[in-house]
Amino acid sequence: METVRLTASQALVRFLENQYISYIDMDGNEQEHKFVKGIFMLPGHGNVVGFANGVEQELKDMIVYQGKNEQGMALAAVGYAKQMRRKSIFACTSSVGPGACNMVTAAATATANNIPVLILPGDIYASRQPDPVLQQMEQPQNLSISAHDAFQAVTKYWGRINRPEQVMTDMISAMRVLTDTANTGAVAISLPQDVQAEAYDYPVDFFKKRVWRIDRRPITKYALDKAVEVIKNAKKPLLICGGGVRYAEAHKVFKKFAEDFGIAFGETQAGKSAVVWDHELNLGGLGTTGGIAANKLAHEADVVIGVGTRYTDFTTASKWLYRTDAKFVNINPSEFQAYKMDATPVVADANEALTAIGEELAKIGYHTDKAYAEEVAALRKEWWTEVERLDAVEYTDKEHFTPEINDANRECVEKYIKDTGCKLCQTTVLGTINHLIDDNAIVCAAAGSLPGDMQGLWRARKENTYHMEYGYSCMGYEVASALGAKIACPDQEVYAMCGDGSFDMLHSELITSVQTGHKINVMLFDNASFGCINNLEVGQGNASICTEKNMLEPGVTNGIHKGKVIQVDYAAIGAAYGCKTYTVKTLDELKAAIEDAKKQTVSTLIDMKVLPKTMSAGYENWWRVGVAEVSTKPEVQAARKAIEDHLFEARHY
């Protein structure tokens, strides 16, 4: 057996350089390419000596980017893999200690969304000779534990390479999971500092070109028969377009299935833009953050066909959205997901399953009737008429203006105007952006009120241009993911749709975008609050505690801050990083800024001052939250009763 003597780090990098992926794309063409695009690296004493040497010696085709925050760079890797529909990934390496733990949140974000990312943090010494080393957290009851054990709760595979030869088994397992359509997510392989530099005589064959095949899992005859048996009797069926449609590249097959049988569909956050917005069967956003059209039909549907969806509480409105006697057919390569909602499970690839089911339905002449088609058309008209209204909302005056969220904290609207002089409404700003940016521009978002606005209101005019992380709702994902999406699609404009709350939490990779020449556009909606959480808090009968960004007044200790609105010059922050920036307080200024930003070659930031409470409200929806069962406030008591009333109507599993 021919061997080569390498350090563990050298072997790991050499291995990554030789990993390939093969699959059949949405056009039926065979594809094969390298799987690991590159490495995001933030060096520290725990990886800059051993692992960095491996990079220096063994790097061939992969590209290395310098991160600015470990969580930020790992989220950029998540954004890249998501935009690439899981067909290419980045690895992320950090030092031991805080640097490693910073990536725990990003790993959770990847795993919750079933997005592959490889985390390679430095770790404490396997030998334990110098213990306790810098940044080591000792556990007296078990010296083998390090802070890295936290990754076990947020990854689909976790390993620690305590001997250099373990690179072989751990990396094979890592690749197995990273290319698993049913169970992919974050993989973390911890690298003790001493082992990174230790050598072993590796078999040369370990570094040969490996092609990991992503096969389309076929549908079994039993599952096919059962699915057809359910669907053929459907009078008011509803398709759910989940993220799995996009990851399986089932766009065309899904659309054809809907058209062949006249079945309308609602979109999840991850599935949106698999089919363009104006398709006659596209009812738009579905669930808690969805719109009138999809949610009304969901209430009435007798059969729900979920394709590539995890049925989160937002997709099901906490299992209240659908009739308790509705039947479900779930198409998913994951058995865990396919069995949800007490469904008829179809554990298969979306293309294979929809094609096979479609062939059988065609044989029996299944199709929805004229009344169903008329209802779908009426629902679409009702919803998009409402969207057009929201596109043009303007503040008039206190007496004549009713904000979309007209709750007990209505006073914050006029307070914002008084302190800032700004009167822009959020839905109007969003609609203006939607109309002015390029058709193929990619929009990235994750948290706050924007996911609620965008799932329902955003018109995706091209496939794969809507990029929303809502499996983990990770604040700070927006800017980082925009960088990842831009690396994935360098010829398209990318917009990070971001609230001030998310921007405050994490925007470090904006610097990286400037440094690497990957132009992104940050659309910063500044309403000086954690707006959607304030709506939730106040809407359930509570006071406005710690959700408004106002100055703290002397003597106030309860978190209810009612001082002047904090006015942050976000444009100045972006300019300091080297971005082209704009401050927007009127629609004319916004339109001019968008058009000028298109001409720039460097990242841009448009600081848009928007009124609180002017995001869209809920439509035909519900969301179960933890309202106090006992309270002295009548408002909370009423909110608790509403929760219990809806829970009585909801499916229990």
Side-chain angles (χ1 to χ4, degrees):
M1 180 176 65
E2 185 182 0
T3 62
V4 57
R5 192 162 182 81
L6 299 168
T7 68
S9 296
Q10 293 162 359
L12 197 157
V13 176
R14 184 178 291 193
F15 175 84
L16 292 179
E17 282 280 10
N18 289 287
Q19 304 312 297
Y20 287 73
I21 191 172
S22 69
Y23 57 94
I24 298 173
D25 67 16
M26 72 175 73
D27 296 317
N29 299 318
E30 186 74 31
Q31 299 288 346
E32 180 182 299
H33 56 76
K34 279 202 168 189
F35 186 51
V36 186
K37 173 74 171 180
I39 302 170
F40 279 103
M41 186 172 188
L42 233 174
H45 72 278
N47 68 337
V48 76
V49 178
F51 190 83
N53 172 265
V55 171
E56 182 179 1
Q57 177 173 308
E58 298 296 328
L59 195 77
K60 297 293 188 298
D61 297 323
M62 293 190 298
I63 186 168
V64 177
Y65 291 120
Q66 176 195 82
K68 302 300 174 292
N69 172 281
E70 293 86 359
Q71 179 181 329
M73 71 181 188
L75 289 176
V78 176
Y80 171 84
K82 183 177 176 71
Q83 191 61 38
M84 290 295 293
R85 299 187 292 284
R86 310 194 303 197
K87 303 304 191 299
S88 182
I89 69 165
F90 267 86
C92 300
T93 180
S94 76
S95 185
V96 64
C101 288
N102 276 352
M103 293 193 288
V104 171
T105 296
T109 302
T111 297
N113 289 277
N114 296 119
I115 302 297
V117 63
L118 178 58
I119 308 292
L120 300 171
D123 205 345
I124 61 176
Y125 279 72
S127 70
R128 304 183 189 166
Q129 178 273 323
D131 285 6
V133 298
L134 180 64
Q135 297 183 341
Q136 180 175 353
M137 183 181 67
E138 294 181 284
Q139 292 286 0
Q141 81 280 10
N142 187 340
L143 296 180
S144 69
I145 292 176
S146 81
H148 292 216
D149 287 79
F151 280 105
Q152 295 191 55
V154 295
T155 57
K156 288 298 182 74
Y157 181 81
W158 176 85
R160 177 178 284 128
I161 297 176
N162 283 316
R163 295 173 59 91
E165 59 265 42
Q166 290 174 353
V167 167
M168 294 180 286
T169 53
D170 258 335
M171 292 313 298
I172 293 294
S173 286
M175 290 300 300
R176 167 180 58 81
V177 173
L178 290 166
T179 58
D180 184 344
T181 58
N183 294 298
T184 194
V187 168
I189 307 294
S190 291
L191 307 174
Q193 296 169 69
D194 49 351
V195 180
Q196 288 179 39
E198 291 175 358
Y200 182 75
D201 294 318
Y202 293 93
V204 171
D205 281 353
F206 176 64
F207 303 107
K208 68 185 178 183
K209 175 181 175 180
R210 291 179 188 271
V211 181
W212 299 84
R213 178 67 176 179
I214 297 184
D215 275 323
R216 297 195 179 279
R217 184 171 180 171
I219 184 173
T220 66
K221 186 178 186 307
Y222 180 85
L224 173 60
D225 291 344
K226 289 294 183 182
V228 171
E229 184 180 336
V230 173
I231 298 170
K232 71 180 184 180
N233 296 315
K235 302 300 182 186
K236 280 198 174 182
L238 173 69
L239 273 163
I240 298 178
C241 183
V245 175
R246 294 175 66 183
Y247 304 141
E249 302 199 37
H251 308 57
K252 292 182 178 179
V253 173
F254 180 91
K255 183 170 73 170
K256 183 177 185 300
F257 185 90
E259 291 169 348
D260 284 350
F261 308 108
I263 304 176
F265 58 91
E267 304 169 309
T268 70
Q269 292 281 20
K272 191 176 177 72
S273 80
V275 182
V276 295
W277 78 276
D278 57 356
H279 189 280
E280 62 183 6
L281 293 170
N282 189 345
L283 297 179
L286 174 79
T288 300
T289 50
I292 293 169
N295 285 354
K296 278 190 174 180
L297 187 60
H299 285 316
E300 302 170 0
D302 54 355
V303 173
V304 179
I305 309 165
V307 186
T309 177
R310 297 186 303 121
Y311 287 107
T312 67
D313 64 338
F314 268 67
T315 299
T316 68
S318 299
K319 298 188 176 69
W320 170 86
L321 188 61
Y322 310 101
R323 287 166 35 179
T324 55
D325 63 345
K327 295 181 179 180
F328 286 75
V329 174
N330 292 345
I331 300 170
N332 204 300
S334 166
E335 291 184 0
F336 178 68
Q337 305 298 346
Y339 277 86
K340 288 181 177 178
M341 303 296 285
D342 205 18
T344 296
V346 178
V347 183
D349 170 77
N351 288 275
E352 297 290 320
L354 289 171
T355 299
I357 294 170
E359 289 173 354
E360 295 302 310
L361 291 176
K363 289 178 184 177
I364 60 176
Y366 176 80
H367 199 282
T368 55
D369 61 21
K370 182 180 178 182
Y372 176 92
E374 290 174 347
E375 180 179 2
V376 168
L379 287 171
R380 276 185 50 81
K381 182 178 181 181
E382 180 183 6
W383 175 236
W384 292 111
T385 299
E386 169 67 356
V387 173
E388 289 174 0
R389 180 190 72 81
L390 291 169
D391 280 349
V393 175
E394 292 184 4
Y395 181 87
T396 50
D397 55 60
K398 184 176 181 179
E399 182 180 353
H400 299 97
F401 179 74
T402 302
E404 299 304 308
I405 312 297
N406 191 24
D407 61 20
N409 193 31
R410 157 62 200 267
E411 65 182 19
C412 70
V413 175
E414 277 68 38
K415 176 176 168 40
Y416 188 91
I417 294 171
K418 177 175 179 289
D419 290 351
T420 69
C422 304
K423 298 180 181 179
L424 280 176
C425 295
Q426 181 165 310
T427 60
T428 308
V429 167
L430 186 65
T432 301
I433 296 169
N434 198 175
H435 286 296
L436 291 181
I437 66 174
D438 297 342
D439 286 357
N440 72 339
I442 298 164
V443 290
C444 299
S449 59
L450 284 168
D453 281 354
M454 294 182 67
Q455 187 187 4
L457 312 184
W458 192 262
R459 304 164 181 83
R461 298 189 290 270
K462 295 288 184 181
E463 292 179 353
N464 299 317
T465 55
Y466 184 86
H467 182 129
M468 180 71 67
E469 187 288 293
Y470 215 54
Y472 207 55
S473 185
C474 181
M475 296 182 75
Y477 177 82
E478 298 89 341
V479 172
S481 67
L483 171 61
K486 185 66 176 181
I487 295 171
C489 302
D491 297 328
Q492 293 170 250
E493 289 279 4
V494 179
Y495 293 82
M497 313 294 279
C498 189
D500 56 294
S502 273
F503 188 84
D504 291 346
M505 287 194 182
L506 184 65
H507 60 265
S508 54
E509 303 321 305
L510 180 56
I511 302 171
T512 308
S513 76
V514 174
Q515 178 188 23
T516 61
H518 290 100
K519 179 202 173 187
I520 63 174
N521 305 280
V522 179
M523 310 301 290
L524 204 157
F525 292 71
D526 179 14
N527 60 12
S529 65
F530 300 101
C532 76
I533 298 303
N534 183 264
N535 297 343
L536 176 63
E537 181 178 46
V538 176
Q540 300 300 320
N542 300 288
S544 179
I545 301 174
C546 288
T547 50
E548 296 180 86
K549 289 161 62 178
N550 298 326
M551 295 298 293
L552 175 62
E553 296 174 306
V556 175
T557 59
N558 61 3
I560 304 175
H561 301 167
K562 292 298 182 183
K564 284 193 173 183
V565 171
I566 296 174
Q567 297 189 46
V568 179
D569 189 346
Y570 289 106
I573 294 172
Y577 293 156
C579 300
K580 172 67 174 176
T581 64
Y582 313 82
T583 299
V584 164
K585 296 184 177 181
T586 68
L587 274 183
D588 286 342
E589 290 174 348
L590 174 60
K591 293 173 183 177
I594 292 172
E595 293 302 331
D596 191 68
K598 292 179 184 179
K599 303 173 186 176
Q600 305 304 318
T601 57
V602 71
S603 291
T604 71
L605 186 152
I606 303 180
D607 181 3
M608 304 172 296
K609 306 303 184 182
V610 298
L611 290 175
K613 305 296 179 184
T614 60
M615 61 286 287
S616 61
Y619 295 91
E620 305 289 330
N621 66 358
W622 178 60
W623 188 32
R624 183 179 180 180
V625 290
V627 179
E629 189 171 3
V630 177
S631 175
T632 58
K633 295 185 68 174
E635 298 89 346
V636 175
Q637 294 169 10
R640 177 68 190 194
K641 185 179 185 304
I643 289 287
E644 292 173 350
D645 289 346
H646 279 83
L647 187 58
F648 177 78
E649 301 168 348
R651 299 170 69 97
H652 284 208
Y653 66 98

